[in-house]
Amino acid sequence: AQKLDTGTRFPSMTWKRVGGGPLQIPEAFHTKYNIFFFIEAIGDLLPAAVVAFENEIDALRKIGASVYAASVDDEEKAGE
């Protein structure tokens, strides 16, 4: 595992989006700040931190931040 420090460039990766299509990282990052979550659904619930960030998405966009979430669930579970 690689630890990223402040200012370290995110390593290049291609991820599969739920529903199709690739996501090129870090090429997809177009904002000053990029917040990235790795999440696992717990039943039908998302972790509270993800919900809290979703509730503040407009404020985050105003300061130039984007929020990304990557599921560690299998594709079927992630698409629910």
Side-chain angles (χ1 to χ4, degrees), residues 42-65:
I42 304 167
D44 292 334
L45 303 174
L46 286 175
V50 175
V51 174
F53 273 89
E54 182 179 34
N55 291 338
E56 296 298 326
I57 196 70
D58 290 334
L60 290 165
R61 286 181 179 146
K62 284 181 183 175
I63 64 165

Side-chain angles (χ1 to χ4, degrees), residues 18-49:
V18 173
L23 176 65
Q24 303 285 7
I25 299 173
E27 293 79 12
F29 299 161
H30 299 289
T31 55
K32 183 175 181 179
Y33 304 105
N34 297 284
I35 302 163
F36 209 90
F37 285 98
F38 292 91
I39 60 172
E40 178 180 15
I42 304 167
D44 292 334
L45 303 174
L46 286 175

